[in-house]
Amino acid sequence: MLALFFDREPRLVSDYPSPVRTPGEARLRTRVAGVCDTDLQLSHGYMNYRGVLGHEFVGEVVEADDPAWIGRRAVADINAGCGSCESCRTNSGHHCARRTVLGILGRDGALAEELVVPERCLVAVPDSVPDDCAVFAEPLAAAAHVLDEPITPTKDPVIVLGDGKLGQLIARALIAGGAKVTVVGHHPDKLALAALAGAATLLESEIEAERGLTDLVVEATGSASGLERAFSLVRPRGRVVLKTTVAGRFDVDLAKVVINELSLAGSRCGDMKRAIELLEQRAVDPRPLIAARYPLARADEALRHAARPGTLKVLVEGAGR
Amino acid sequence: MLALFFDREPRLVSDYPSPVRTPGEARLRTRVAGVCDTDLQLSHGYMNYRGVLGHEFVGEVVEADDPAWIGRRAVADINAGCGSCESCRTNSGHHCARRTVLGILGRDGALAEELVVPERCLVAVPDSVPDDCAVFAEPLAAAAHVLDEPITPTKDPVIVLGDGKLGQLIARALIAGGAKVTVVGHHPDKLALAALAGAATLLESEIEAERGLTDLVVEATGSASGLERAFSLVRPRGRVVLKTTVAGRFDVDLAKVVINELSLAGSRCGDMKRAIELLEQRAVDPRPLIAARYPLARADEALRHAARPGTLKVLVEGAGR
């Protein structure tokens, strides 16, 4: 089958072996997949991943233990835990030490004609949610995971640093959750998109340095300078949520963390059911974030397009479409 | 008066002007002061401080608004807030934007014959607590502040990284608070001290890399390698408390913070009353940590002694003794 395979470099292959479903798994045909910055990092060696890329997708189930799934559209939690450890029992397996992660760790991803995932990871997509929305379920779930942070009640907006696709989804998820949000970025066109979604916006240059403005800052720039800015913008005893996958090392001044007793909290994957609910309720419409779409036969081009600085979401249309 | 003054370099001066008390303040004669690593960092330019060094002390009150203080031994909260802002009302002024901090920020310190502090910052020292214990009140308060962390109930010990004077006090404070503690260090003699205080101990070389062992790690080494070790030792969703004053930049891999959804929490000063209570109840005896003592007239030597790697607490005996 067609697949975007990575070992030393990402390449489109046409003879990749089709995945074989084992009991407990579902086999899906990819309808639409999204390219994430993590895919770009993986293709530079992050996680030492080797396999088919892609973890944002909506597909059609073609084979499963439960026949009710056949023919249904679905997304999936990308974390496939062992199903029996304490982490799996209490925490959806997101921290299972034996987990595979779709297209990231030990499991071929969705930028291919077909993929297999554990059937228990599937989340059905209601008919009212179009593919172009459902394909955002994974990053939207991760974005909405910020709503699980202990947020100090405050009259001040949550500050989201970064106006890229992740910052945009986080802002939308927070607004859907009832928070006031200010997005800080340096692209007027993207800040305008965030404003349309209901966020206040500020250009980075409009932010004064060294000011405690809020109790919660979400860092979605992935840069050391963004992290230090977050430490400046948050009040003493406030919280900075580190939302970006960080492939490299950070050279960062942690003095403010101690002096102001800040907490820095990493935040990764979220609840796929909540993401689908947000999409079904139309509380979040991610479609303005679509920058381009490619057929699977040009998935390598899609990856290169996504790597251009400032690109929002690049979609890949698969065989199941 | 005699004072250990810092501008471009620390130097002992004999003609430093005696401090003048204003209403609301108390004037004290220093009985014993301690040298802290922060003093060493200040003397290398941290905080751009200029003034008399020293913030760990026990003194005798010689002048105050309230005559009941005169002649009493006291320690003091080093954070002198404005007294009227929200931080001062809710949080002892530890994060007051207009605060001075004794010997650290805008207020001359205790390595001198005399000092002044706001009278509301004073905490009386009971007769049963000797000077050699009371002088540890400030670092012990900071150590015991770890007890204020949200600690996930667990059967596993809290891991304290660092067997230096700060790690030793943190271990003692945690044990006094009912926690099981494992101190990790690389000095067998200091680990033996920690063991005498009731901690389990491990040499760094005995710790396997990459293992989630506990839900709470307290980093008291002040090094980037210590911080990364902390990220390895803590379980997914666990908490790393950054307890050291960090004067420089950290070059650190934050991937584990995101992937394992860790939180990193800065922790600074604590409650001086609680420290005095711990000393009064003999729940903590810090005296085994005393490495050397000098008269105030040799405070410059004391600072150099404290700078030798691996030195525990160096005390300076003042005029009030």
Side-chain angles (χ1 to χ4, degrees), chain A residues 231-301:
Chain A
F231 293 154
S232 290
L233 290 174
V234 75
R235 290 209 187 88
R237 295 187 189 268
R239 191 167 180 90
V240 173
V241 177
L242 186 57
K243 196 59 218 180
T244 37
T245 302
V246 182
R249 301 184 69 82
F250 270 39
D251 175 24
V252 67
D253 186 352
L254 296 179
K256 274 209 176 64
V257 173
V258 176
I259 293 174
N260 290 340
E261 301 194 302
L262 309 179
S263 68
L264 172 67
S267 174
R268 207 183 75 212
C269 295
D271 178 354
M272 295 293 286
K273 288 194 185 75
R274 174 162 59 188
I276 289 293
E277 281 164 17
L278 287 170
L279 294 168
E280 189 178 15
Q281 295 156 2
R282 299 175 203 230
V284 173
D285 184 351
R287 287 172 293 187
L289 304 180
I290 299 171
R293 61 179 77 227
Y294 289 81
L296 180 60
R298 288 167 59 203
D300 49 346
E301 260 180 84

Side-chain angles (χ1 to χ4, degrees), chain A residues 137-212:
Chain A
E138 197 282 332
L140 179 59
H145 192 32
V146 174
L147 294 167
D148 301 325
E149 291 294 323
I151 304 183
T152 315
T154 171
K155 61 184 193 313
D156 305 300
V158 177
I159 294 180
V160 176
L161 291 183
D163 55 14
K165 45 193 174 293
L166 182 60
Q168 296 276 349
L169 284 176
I170 293 167
R172 283 162 175 77
L174 283 165
I175 291 165
K180 284 195 293 184
V181 174
T182 299
V183 175
V184 177
H186 52 264
H187 304 90
D189 53 333
K190 293 185 189 170
L191 291 178
L193 265 183
L196 280 175
T201 62
L202 275 174
L203 279 167
E204 270 184 25
S205 55
E206 294 170 329
I207 292 262
E208 287 177 44
E210 309 291 317
R211 282 183 57 188

Side-chain angles (χ1 to χ4, degrees), chain A:
Chain A
M1 67 174 184
L2 263 179
L4 187 66
F5 178 76
F6 173 76
D7 49 2
R8 282 157 306 175
E9 56 180 4
R11 58 202 160 91
L12 192 68
V13 292
S14 58
D15 57 350
Y16 199 78
S18 291
V20 176
R21 185 187 82 94
T22 58
E25 287 184 322
R27 184 163 62 88
L28 299 98
R29 253 200 291 271
T30 302
R31 290 176 62 87
V32 185
V35 180
C36 170
D37 281 357
T38 302
D39 297 316
L40 303 173
Q41 294 179 354
L42 292 169
S43 69
H44 288 99
Y46 176 59
M47 300 286 290
N48 295 312
Y49 179 67
R50 184 177 176 282
V52 176
L53 293 168
H55 57 275
E56 302 178 359
F57 80 99
V58 51
E60 181 188 325
V61 181
V62 290
E63 202 183 346
D65 284 351
D66 180 353
W69 276 113
I70 312 296
R72 291 198 70 175
R73 287 188 310 144
V75 296
D77 192 320
I78 65 173
N79 297 276
C82 70
S84 58
C85 70
E86 192 187 336
S87 173
C88 283
R89 286 194 307 272
T90 62
N91 190 25
S92 324
H94 285 193
H95 293 287
C96 170
R98 289 185 284 155
R99 71 185 180 277
T100 62
V101 186
L102 185 71
I104 295 177
L105 178 69
R107 179 179 289 274
D108 275 337
L111 284 164
E113 289 178 63
E114 292 189 350
L115 70 157
V116 293
V117 297
E119 199 167 314
R120 66 176 179 280
C121 292
L122 293 178
V123 176
V125 177
D127 291 344
S128 63
V129 178
D131 285 345
D132 280 0
C133 289
V135 69
F136 282 90
E138 197 282 332
L140 179 59
H145 192 32
V146 174
L147 294 167
D148 301 325
E149 291 294 323
I151 304 183
T152 315
T154 171
K155 61 184 193 313
D156 305 300
V158 177
I159 294 180
V160 176
L161 291 183
D163 55 14
K165 45 193 174 293
L166 182 60
Q168 296 276 349
L169 284 176
I170 293 167
R172 283 162 175 77
L174 283 165
I175 291 165
K180 284 195 293 184
V181 174
T182 299
V183 175
V184 177
H186 52 264
H187 304 90
D189 53 333
K190 293 185 189 170
L191 291 178
L193 265 183
L196 280 175
T201 62
L202 275 174
L203 279 167
E204 270 184 25
S205 55
E206 294 170 329
I207 292 262
E208 287 177 44
E210 309 291 317
R211 282 183 57 188
L213 289 176
T214 181
D215 296 308
L216 182 66
V217 174
V218 183
E219 153 52 31
T221 74
S223 66
S225 63
L227 190 54
E228 291 192 0
R229 184 183 295 272
F231 293 154
S232 290
L233 290 174
V234 75
R235 290 209 187 88
R237 295 187 189 268
R239 191 167 180 90
V240 173
V241 177
L242 186 57
K243 196 59 218 180
T244 37
T245 302
V246 182
R249 301 184 69 82
F250 270 39
D251 175 24
V252 67
D253 186 352
L254 296 179
K256 274 209 176 64
V257 173
V258 176
I259 293 174
N260 290 340
E261 301 194 302
L262 309 179
S263 68
L264 172 67
S267 174
R268 207 183 75 212
C269 295
D271 178 354
M272 295 293 286
K273 288 194 185 75
R274 174 162 59 188
I276 289 293
E277 281 164 17
L278 287 170
L279 294 168
E280 189 178 15
Q281 295 156 2
R282 299 175 203 230
V284 173
D285 184 351
R287 287 172 293 187
L289 304 180
I290 299 171
R293 61 179 77 227
Y294 289 81
L296 180 60
R298 288 167 59 203
D300 49 346
E301 260 180 84
L303 196 72
R304 287 196 294 276
H305 186 153
R308 288 183 216 155
T311 304
L312 288 172
K313 186 60 69 184
V314 175
L315 299 182
V316 173
E317 298 185 344
R321 176 80 164 186

Side-chain angles (χ1 to χ4, degrees), chain B residues 50-110:
Chain B
R50 183 178 177 282
V52 176
L53 292 167
H55 57 275
E56 301 179 0
F57 81 99
V58 51
E60 181 189 325
V61 180
V62 291
E63 203 183 344
D65 285 351
D66 179 353
W69 277 113
I70 312 296
R72 294 199 68 175
R73 288 188 309 143
V75 296
D77 192 318
I78 66 175
N79 297 276
C82 70
S84 58
C85 70
E86 191 186 339
S87 171
C88 283
R89 285 193 308 271
T90 60
N91 189 26
S92 324
H94 284 193
H95 292 288
C96 169
R98 288 185 286 155
R99 71 186 181 276
T100 62
V101 186
L102 186 70
I104 294 176
L105 179 70
R107 180 178 288 272
D108 275 337

